[in-house]
C-alpha cells in the first residue's frame, strides 16, 4: 500500500498544555481515515498543522514521500490539501458562485466558474445552484458550497471537521455518497467526528487521540462504537438510561405563537404550538437557524409575546420577563454559551448569579450575598464535574464542554418545574454529553418538564419521550420517539427539498 | 516579530499596573515634548507633579487647590463610570454640569435675599435635578427613537453653553451689577454659599459629595444588583437580557445618575469656588472627567486617585505656564497623552506580548 500523507512524531505545545505529543500515522490514497477524540484531545491542532495554520514544534510530515511543511494554508492547498471547517466562512448576502470565487487564488470568469460548479456538483451528486444567495441556503447546502470550493482545487487530501453535525439524516446520506465516490477516485479523506456510528459506516481506518497522544488505532467496521468510545474517553462509559416516566399534567402550553423575525436572516416563528407535561422530555429537532433561538427567547421571556399565548400551569405568562418566569419555575439555557448563557469575562461566581439570583435567593433587598453565590457556584462545579481551578476563574477560560456543564448544571440545580435547553451537548465531548443527558433525564424523572432543542437527532431519539421538528419557523406535531424511524424523522424535518437530485441541465 | 496573544483571563496585575505605566510613559513623552520646546524636561515634570504640593513658595496656595479641582472631577467621573461600564456613553457631562449650576442658582436666587438655612439644601436638590433633566434628553431619545446618546449628549453641551450665556447676560444677571454680565455672587450670600469647610484644605461640600459618591459607587458596583446588571450589560448585552435586565431602564438609570452627579458638581462649583454664574463659568470639568473615569479604570477608588492626579496636572500645568512659560497647548497635549497612553497600554491587561517567530494559531 502506498502512502499519501505520513505524519512522524508531530509535537506542538502551547503555554501550559501539550496539544499534540509525538503523533504519528499514515494515510493512503483513497483512504477514509477517521480522527477520533474528545474535545481538547488535540484533533484541531493536528489538522491545523496539516493545513499549514499551525507550525509543529517538532516532528515531520511527508506528502507523496516528499517533505511537507506548509507555512500557510495557501501552500497546503497548492500541495493538494483542502479543508472543510466546522464553521462555515461564507457571506450570506453573496451568491454561491461569488462565495466560491472569493476563496480561490485565481478565480476563472464568472460564467466559466458557474459552469464548473454545476459540473462538479453534478458529478458528485451535490445539488447546488451557483446563482442562489447563500443566505437562503440550508446548513447542508452551505456545507456543499464549502465542499465544492475544495473540490474545484482537485485535492489529494480532503480534511473534514465534524461535517455532519448540521445535517439531516438525508443530507448525511448524500454527503457519504459523495465522500465514497471521492475516495474511489483516489482522494484521501481525513474525517474528524465524534459520531461513532458514522465513522463505522464510512471510514476505513481510525486514529484515536487522547490528551494529545495517539492512544489507539482501529478498523472502525470491525470495532463496536462502545469500544471506540471507551478508547476515546479512557474509561468505561456508563450508558445513559431513559427512565420510564409517567407523563403528568400539562405544565407548559404554547398556543399558535407567531413571531416576526427581528433580523434579516433570522427566522419568523409561524403558528407554533406545543404542550409539555410533567415528567416528560420533549425533543425539538431541526437544523440550527430554523427558529430555535427565537423559540427559546419566547420561552425564556427575553422576547415578550401576547400574554395568553404561553401558559404555565394555566397562568398566562407571555408578558412576563425572564426573572418572573424563573420565580415560577420556568428556566432555560440558551445555545450560545459565551455572551448569552454566560458573560465571558465574568467569573463563574458572577455567572452563577446571572440566573440563580431569584430561585437561590442570592440577594436580599437587591444586595448580593457573594458568599452564598460562591457556594452555589462551587456546588454547580462539584456536582457537574466542571473542570476549572475554581469559581473565581473567568467563564471564557473554560473549554466549551466544561462551560456547557456549568450552564446546564446552574439551571438543573435550581430544581426547575420546566427546563428549556437549546443544543445542550453542541461541541461537548462524549463523556460530558452523556452526563448532561443523564442530568436532564434525572430532572424529568423528578417530575419536571424538559424541552430539549437539538440538532443531534441521535441525542433526541435517546432521551426524548416525544419528538417534533422545527423547520423554517414551523413546528410539526409531536410523535412518541419509540415508534419513529430515522426516515420518518428526516421527513418530519422537512428534508424533502434536500432529497431532490441535482437539478442541473 | 511582536505578536499579541489573548490571555485566558484578564491579568489582575496589569489591570492595576497599566495606569501607573501610562503615567510613566506620559512623563517620558511629555519630557520629550517639553525638551523640543526648549525647556528642561526634568524641571518641567517636577514643576507639574512636585511643586504644587511641596514648593516652599507656591504650595501654600496650590495645595488646597488640589481638592477644589479634584472634587468636581471625581463627582462627575463617578457618575460617568457607571454608565461607561454599562456601555452607555454620556459625553455631555459638561452640559449637565452647566444646567445643574443654572438650575441650582436660579432656584436660590428666586428667593434672594432670604436668609433661610433651607436655601442651600434646596439649591443642591435643584442642581441635581437640573443635571438629571438635561441627561434625560439623550436618555429618552435613545430609549424611544434609538438615537445615539454620544452625539445627543455632546451636542447638548453647546446648547447648555448658550443657556449659560443667556443667563449671565439676561435672565440671571445681577440687577445691581451695573449692567456687567454675571449673576449675583452666590458665595457672597450666606444662605447660598458653599464655603471652605476646613481652612487651608480646599475642602468644601462638593468635595464631601465627591467622597460620598465614591463610597456609594463602590457599594453599588460591588454589592448591589444594579452594579452587577450594569457590568453585565456592558460586557454581554445578550446575557444581560437573559438575566432579566431591562435595557431601557438601565439607560434611564445610568444617564440619570451621571447627569445628577454632574449637576451637583456644577452647583457646588457655582456656589463655592466660582462664586457666581458667568459666561465662562464652565472650565471643562465635564470633559476632563471622562479622562479621569478611564484613568481610574472605571473603578471608584481608582477614580478617586485619578481625580487627584488629574487635578495635580491642572495645577502643575498652570504653575508650569507661569514659571517656565510653557504654552497652555503643551499642557493640554500633556494631559491628552495620559488618556492616549492609558488606552494604549490597556491592551496588556487582556493580551500579552510575545516576541518571537511568527505563528498563526
Amino acid at each position: 500500500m502506498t502512502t499519501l500523507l505520513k505524519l512522524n512524531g508531530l509535537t506542538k505545545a502551547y503555554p501550559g498544555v501539550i496539544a499534540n505529543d509525538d503523533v504519528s500515522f499514515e494515510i493512503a490514497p483513497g483512504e477514509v481515515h477517521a480522527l477520533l477524540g474528545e474535545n481538547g484531545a488535540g484533533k484541531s491542532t493536528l489538522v491545523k498543522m496539516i493545513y499549514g495554520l499551525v507550525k509543529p514544534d517538532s516532528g515531520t510530515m511527508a506528502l507523496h514521500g516528499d517533505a511537507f511543511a506548509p507555512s500557510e494554508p495557501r501552500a497546503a492547498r497548492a500541495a493538494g490539501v483542502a479543508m472543510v471547517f466546522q464553521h462555515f466562512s461564507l457571506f450570506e448576502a453573496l451568491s454561491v458562485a461569488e462565495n466560491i470565487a472569493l476563496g480561490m487564488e485565481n478565480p476563472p470568469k464568472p460564467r466559466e466558474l458557474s459552469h464548473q460548479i454545476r459540473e462538479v456538483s453534478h458529478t458528485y451528486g451535490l445539488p447546488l445552484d451557483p446563482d442562489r444567495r447563500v443566505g437562503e441556503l440550508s446548513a447542508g447546502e452551505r456545507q456543499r458550497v464549502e465542499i465544492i470550493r475544495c473540490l474545484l482545487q482537485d485535492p489529494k487530501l480532503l480534511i473534514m471537521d465534524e461535517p455532519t453535525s448540521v445535517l439531516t439524516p438525508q443530507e448525511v446520506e448524500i454527503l457519504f455518497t459523495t465522500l465514497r465516490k471521492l475516495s474511489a477516485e483516489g482522494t484521501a479523506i481525513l474525517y474528524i467526528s465524534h459520531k461513532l456510528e458514522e465513522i463505522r459506516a464510512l471510514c476505513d481506518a481510525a486514529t484515536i487521540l487522547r490528551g494529545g497522544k495517539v492512544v489507539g488505532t482501529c478498523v472502525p467496521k470491525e470495532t463496536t462504537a462502545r469500544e471506540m468510545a471507551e478508547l476515546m474517553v479512557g474509561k468505561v462509559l456508563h450508558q445513559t438510561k431513559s427512565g420510564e416516566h409517567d407523563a403528568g399534567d400539562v405544565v407548559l402550553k404554547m398556543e399558535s405563537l407567531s413571531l416576526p423575525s427581528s433580523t434579516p436572516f433570522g427566522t419568523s416563528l409561524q403558528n407554533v404550538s406545543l404542550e409539555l407535561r410533567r415528567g416528560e422530555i420533549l425533543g425539538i429537532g431541526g437544523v440550527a437557524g430554523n427558529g430555535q433561538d427565537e423559540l427559546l427567547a419566547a420561552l425564556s421571556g427575553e422576547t415578550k409575546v401576547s400574554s395568553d399565548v404561553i401558559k404555565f400551569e394555566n397562568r398566562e405568562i407571555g408578558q412576563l420577563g425572564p426573572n418572573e418566569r424563573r420565580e415560577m419555575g420556568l428556566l432555560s439555557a440558551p445555545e450560545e454559551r459565551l455572551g448569552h448563557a454566560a458573560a465571558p469575562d465574568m467569573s463563574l461566581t458572577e455567572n452563577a448569579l446571572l440566573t440563580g439570583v431569584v430561585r437561590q435567593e442570592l440577594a436580599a433587598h437587591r444586595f448580593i450575598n457573594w458568599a452564598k453565590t460562591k457556594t452555589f457556584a462551587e456546588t454547580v462545579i462539584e456536582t457537574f464535574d466542571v473542570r476549572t481551578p475554581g469559581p473565581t476563574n473567568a467563564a471564557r477560560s473554560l473549554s466549551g464542554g466544561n462551560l456547557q456543564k456549568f450552564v446546564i448544571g446552574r439551571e438543573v440545580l435550581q430544581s426547575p418545574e420546566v427546563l428549556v435547553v437549546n443544543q445542550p451537548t453542541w461541541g461537548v465531548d462524549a463523556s460530558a454529553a452523556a452526563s448532561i443527558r443523564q442530568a436532564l433525564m434525572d430532572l424529568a424523572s423528578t417530575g419536571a418538564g424538559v424541552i430539549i432543542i437539538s440538532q443531534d437527532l441521535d441525542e433526541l431519539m435517546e432521551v426524548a419521550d416525544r419528538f417534533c421538528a422545527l423547520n423554517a419557523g414551523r413546528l410539526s406535531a409531536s410523535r412518541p420517539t419509540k415508534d419513529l424511524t430515522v426516515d420518518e424523522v428526516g421527513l418530519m424535518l422537512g428534508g424533502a427539498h434536500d432529497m431532490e437530485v441535482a437539478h442541473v441541465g | 516579530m511582536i505578536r499579541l496573544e489573548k490571555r485566558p483571563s484578564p491579568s489582575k496585575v496589569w489591570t492595576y499596573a497599566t495606569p501607573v505605566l501610562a503615567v510613566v510613559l506620559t512623563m517620558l513623552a511629555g519630557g520629550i515634548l517639553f525638551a523640543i520646546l526648549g525647556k528642561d524636561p526634568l524641571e518641567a515634570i517636577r514643576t507639574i507633579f512636585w511643586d504644587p504640593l511641596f514648593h516652599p513658595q507656591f504650595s501654600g496656595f496650590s495645595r488646597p487647590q488640589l481638592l477644589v479641582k479634584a472634587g468636581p472631577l471625581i463627582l462627575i467621573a463617578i457618575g460617568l463610570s457607571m454608565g461607561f461600564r454599562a456601555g452607555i456613553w454620556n459625553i455631555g457631562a459638561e452640559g449637565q454640569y452647566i444646567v445643574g449650576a443654572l438650575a441650582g442658582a436660579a432656584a436660590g436666587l428666586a428667593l434672594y435675599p432670604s436668609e433661610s438655612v433651607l436655601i442651600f439644601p434646596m439649591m443642591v436638590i435643584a442642581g441635581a435635578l437640573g443635571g438629571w433633566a438635561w441627561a434625560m434628553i439623550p436618555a429618552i431619545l435613545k430609549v424611544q427613537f434609538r438615537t445615539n446618546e454620544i452625539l445627543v449628549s455632546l451636542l447638548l453641551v453647546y446648547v447648555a453653553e448658550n443657556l449659560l450665556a443667556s443667563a449671565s447676560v439676561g435672565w440671571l444677571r445681577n440687577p445691581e451689577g451695573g449692567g456687567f454680565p454675571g449673576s449675583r455672587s452666590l458665595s457672597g450670600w450666606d444662605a447660598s454659599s458653599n464655603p471652605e469647610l476646613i481652612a487651608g484644605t480646599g475642602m468644601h461640600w462638593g468635595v464631601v459629595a465627591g467622597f460620598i459618591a465614591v463610597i456609594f459607587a463602590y457599594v453599588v458596583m460591588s454589592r448591589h444588583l444594579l452594579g452587577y446588571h450594569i457590568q453585565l450589560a456592558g460586557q454581554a448585552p445578550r446575557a444581560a437580557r437573559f438575566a432579566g435586565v431591562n435595557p431601557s431602564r438601565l439607560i434611564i438609570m445610568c444617564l440619570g445618575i451621571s447627569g445628577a452627579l454632574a449637576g451637583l458638581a456644577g452647583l457646588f462649583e457655582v456656589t463655592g469656588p466660582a462664586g457666581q454664574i458667568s459666561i465662562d463659568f464652565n472650565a471643562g470639568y465635564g470633559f476632563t472627567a471622562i479622562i479621569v473615569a478611564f484613568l481610574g479604570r472605571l473603578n471608584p477608588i481608582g477614580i478617586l486617585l485619578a481625580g487627584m492626579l488629574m487635578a495635580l496636572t491642572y495645577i502643575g500645568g498652570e504653575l508650569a505656564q507661569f514659571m517656565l512659560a510653557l504654552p497652555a497647548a503643551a499642557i493640554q497635549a500633556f494631559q491628552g497623552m495620559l488618556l492616549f497612553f492609558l488606552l494604549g497600554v490597556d491592551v496588556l491587561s487582556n493580551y500579552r506580548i510575545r516576541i518571537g517567530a511568527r505563528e498563526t494559531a
Side-chain angles (χ1 to χ4, degrees):
Chain A
M1 187 165 90
T2 52
T3 304
L4 173 72
L5 177 74
K6 186 176 164 69
L7 308 182
N8 198 355
L10 283 183
T11 301
K12 174 73 201 174
Y14 288 111
V17 58
I18 297 176
N20 282 146
D21 187 0
D22 195 20
V23 174
S24 309
F25 62 86
E26 292 178 6
I27 303 174
E31 177 184 334
V32 184
H33 194 107
L35 194 55
L36 266 169
E38 292 196 290
N39 278 33
K43 294 172 304 204
S44 298
T45 308
L46 187 63
V47 295
K48 278 178 182 167
M49 288 195 282
I50 300 172
Y51 195 54
L53 280 165
V54 172
K55 216 173 173 170
D57 294 337
S58 65
T60 56
M61 292 184 276
L63 194 69
H64 299 299
D66 304 326
F68 175 62
S71 56
E72 53 177 348
R74 200 185 310 186
R77 283 198 294 267
V81 177
M83 179 158 173
V84 176
F85 288 90
Q86 189 175 3
H87 299 286
F88 308 141
S89 43
L90 298 173
F91 295 95
E92 295 196 323
L94 297 183
S95 76
V96 168
E98 286 164 335
N99 265 292
I100 288 176
L102 279 173
M104 296 176 84
E105 308 294 337
N106 299 305
K109 292 203 177 72
R111 188 180 302 176
E112 197 182 323
L113 182 64
S114 292
H115 180 70
Q116 285 181 13
I117 293 170
R118 282 178 210 279
E119 203 170 42
V120 171
S121 79
H122 191 68
T123 314
Y124 291 100
L126 293 169
L128 195 64
D129 177 354
D131 299 324
R132 277 182 72 193
R133 272 208 306 177
V134 166
E136 300 162 2
L137 301 184
S138 73
E141 289 169 312
R142 287 177 199 213
Q143 186 183 52
R144 286 174 208 162
V145 179
E146 295 272 12
I147 294 174
I148 286 173
R149 175 142 79 186
C150 290
L151 293 186
L152 284 173
Q153 298 158 8
D154 194 18
K156 300 287 167 280
L157 173 66
L158 180 62
I159 305 172
M160 304 205 74
D161 192 357
E162 301 269 357
T164 60
S165 53
V166 293
L167 303 185
T168 61
Q170 280 79 9
E171 287 176 320
V172 170
E173 266 317 305
I174 295 175
L175 174 69
F176 280 14
T177 311
T178 306
L179 294 182
R180 287 196 184 101
K181 193 165 165 116
L182 276 169
S183 147
E185 289 174 1
T187 307
I189 294 160
L190 183 58
Y191 188 90
I192 304 172
S193 178
H194 63 261
K195 293 193 178 169
L196 303 166
E197 288 302 337
E198 284 178 2
I199 286 173
R200 294 193 60 218
L202 182 72
C203 300
D204 307 315
T207 298
I208 297 151
L209 289 181
R210 186 169 76 231
K213 289 190 179 128
V214 175
V215 292
T217 53
C218 63
V219 178
K221 287 176 179 117
E222 295 161 8
T223 316
T224 67
R226 197 181 169 80
E227 282 165 345
M228 283 194 280
E230 283 170 5
L231 268 173
M232 228 162 89
V233 181
K235 62 182 179 200
V236 177
L237 280 178
H238 61 187
Q239 204 95 32
T240 42
K241 282 189 216 62
S242 179
E244 283 294 315
H245 3 261
D246 302 320
D249 306 332
V250 174
V251 60
L252 184 76
K253 200 169 178 172
M254 182 181 264
E255 269 173 296
S256 313
L257 171 68
S258 292
L259 199 64
S261 160
S262 50
T263 58
F265 291 111
T267 308
S268 303
L269 293 178
Q270 287 164 40
N271 222 353
V272 171
S273 300
L274 62 83
E275 208 177 75
L276 179 71
R277 292 173 179 278
R278 286 189 173 281
E280 75 166 352
I281 297 180
L282 174 65
I284 298 181
V287 172
N290 274 293
Q292 281 86 349
D293 283 349
E294 289 81 359
L295 180 62
L296 183 111
L299 285 168
S300 73
E302 288 163 277
T303 309
K304 287 184 182 152
V305 296
S306 319
S307 88
D308 57 343
V309 168
I310 306 176
K311 286 190 183 129
F312 179 86
E313 295 191 315
N314 287 325
R315 277 181 63 189
E316 297 180 346
I317 62 162
Q319 277 291 310
L320 298 185
N323 280 331
E324 287 158 304
R325 296 191 193 188
R326 284 189 186 113
E327 199 169 352
M328 299 167 70
L330 171 54
L331 307 188
S332 52
E335 173 188 7
E336 187 70 42
R337 294 181 279 258
L338 284 175
H340 194 181
D345 289 325
M346 284 193 167
S347 70
L348 293 179
T349 305
E350 288 168 300
N351 274 303
L353 184 69
L354 196 123
T355 65
V357 63
V358 184
R359 282 178 86 75
Q360 297 296 306
E361 295 174 347
L362 300 177
H365 307 291
R366 297 184 66 75
F367 277 91
I368 302 159
N369 185 339
W370 283 118
K372 202 169 170 185
T373 309
K374 185 159 175 256
T375 312
F376 176 54
E378 279 164 349
T379 315
V380 175
I381 290 168
E382 200 171 313
T383 317
F384 281 81
D385 188 27
V386 180
R387 311 275 166 80
T388 172
T392 52
N393 281 59
R396 75 160 195 245
S397 70
L398 268 64
S399 73
N402 273 312
L403 186 57
Q404 185 68 10
K405 285 196 274 186
F406 182 82
V407 166
I408 299 282
R410 180 180 68 186
E411 308 306 327
V412 169
L413 284 185
Q414 295 184 52
S415 30
E417 306 289 329
V418 171
L419 179 60
V420 186
V421 292
N422 191 3
Q423 317 298 349
T425 58
W426 168 241
V428 172
D429 60 60
S431 64
S435 69
I436 288 174
R437 287 179 197 135
Q438 188 64 54
L440 293 173
M441 284 191 282
D442 292 346
L443 181 68
S445 66
T446 64
V450 177
I451 296 179
I452 302 179
I453 304 171
S454 176
Q455 48 187 3
D456 185 342
L457 296 174
D458 299 338
E459 169 173 281
L460 293 180
M461 290 303 117
E462 184 185 333
V463 301
D465 302 300
R466 283 188 296 131
F467 175 85
C468 50
L470 185 61
N471 192 41
R474 293 171 195 276
L475 190 68
S476 73
S478 71
R479 292 181 53 184
T481 44
K482 271 182 207 155
D483 331 324
L484 277 178
T485 65
V486 172
D487 285 339
E488 285 172 316
V489 168
L491 288 172
M492 282 174 83
L493 285 170
H497 69 277
D498 295 307
M499 293 176 69
E500 65 191 75
V501 275
H503 43 84
V504 279
Chain B
M1 172 142 177
I2 302 172
R3 287 180 302 117
L4 288 174
E5 186 178 287
K6 189 152 189 171
R7 297 174 190 274
S9 286
S11 160
K12 284 268 185 301
V13 175
W14 278 111
T15 306
Y16 295 106
T18 47
V20 178
L21 184 63
V23 170
V24 171
L25 287 173
T26 307
M27 284 185 181
L28 284 175
I32 293 169
L33 172 76
F34 298 142
I36 292 168
L37 289 169
K39 312 291 174 192
D40 177 0
L42 284 178
E43 193 188 356
I45 299 288
R46 198 201 66 219
T47 310
I48 294 174
F49 287 100
W50 184 261
D51 285 354
L53 297 176
F54 303 106
H55 192 279
Q57 193 184 341
F58 301 113
S59 62
F61 164 76
S62 57
R63 211 180 287 157
Q65 284 293 307
L66 191 65
L67 283 185
V68 170
K69 296 253 191 263
L73 287 178
I74 293 170
L75 196 51
I76 301 171
I78 287 287
L80 293 181
S81 70
M82 296 174 87
F84 291 170
R85 281 239 191 148
I88 296 162
W89 305 101
N90 178 6
I91 304 299
E94 185 80 358
Q96 294 136 26
Y97 171 85
I98 293 171
V99 174
L102 283 176
L109 289 171
L111 299 172
Y112 185 83
S114 158
E115 286 295 332
S116 163
V117 291
L118 295 176
I119 286 181
F120 187 65
M122 181 205 72
M123 288 172 74
V124 171
I125 293 166
L129 281 178
W132 174 83
W134 207 244
M136 277 305 105
I137 300 172
I140 289 167
L141 287 176
K142 185 177 174 71
V143 169
Q144 287 295 322
F145 305 108
R146 296 185 173 214
T147 58
N148 183 317
E149 78 279 15
I150 300 178
L151 293 176
V152 178
S153 65
L154 177 63
L155 293 178
L156 280 170
V157 172
Y158 305 107
V159 178
E161 281 178 346
N162 282 303
L163 272 180
L164 175 70
S166 84
S168 55
V169 299
W171 50 279
L172 275 183
R173 193 178 59 184
N174 183 357
E176 293 153 24
F180 282 101
S183 71
R184 286 183 197 277
S185 169
L186 293 163
S187 55
W189 172 30
D190 279 349
S192 73
S193 90
N194 169 25
E196 192 175 15
L197 297 171
I198 306 166
T201 59
M203 182 73 116
H204 61 78
W205 286 115
V207 181
V208 175
F211 289 152
I212 294 174
V214 168
I215 297 167
F216 165 81
Y218 183 81
V219 173
V220 167
M221 294 310 285
S222 62
R223 301 245 170 270
H224 197 269
L225 272 179
L226 174 64
Y228 175 72
H229 287 161
I230 283 173
Q231 294 172 51
L232 201 55
Q235 292 183 14
R238 248 184 120 192
R241 267 196 300 283
F242 181 57
V245 176
N246 178 341
S248 302
R249 239 175 49 201
L250 204 65
I251 290 165
I252 302 272
M253 198 80 173
C254 286
L255 278 167
I257 291 175
S258 55
L261 291 185
L264 275 180
L267 180 275
F268 288 123
E269 192 70 12
V270 80
T271 52
Q276 62 167 159
I277 292 287
S278 59
I279 292 182
D280 54 358
F281 158 71
N282 60 316
Y285 282 133
F287 291 121
T288 311
I290 298 171
I291 305 183
V292 170
F294 279 104
L295 192 60
R297 317 248 45 152
L298 305 181
N299 171 311
I301 310 293
I303 287 169
L304 182 71
L305 299 174
M308 297 284 194
L309 179 72
M310 212 61 206
L312 188 64
T313 65
Y314 259 89
I315 302 159
E318 276 170 24
L319 210 58
Q321 282 178 50
F322 163 71
M323 303 224 316
L324 307 174
L326 270 171
I331 302 296
Q332 282 166 13
F334 183 73
Q335 288 165 340
M337 279 179 199
L338 196 54
L339 183 64
F340 172 82
F341 281 117
L342 183 81
L343 296 178
V345 295
D346 212 28
V347 79
L348 290 173
S349 51
N350 272 311
Y351 293 84
R352 68 175 115 229
I353 295 179
R354 292 257 163 220
I355 299 170
R358 182 178 168 276
E359 181 183 288
T360 347

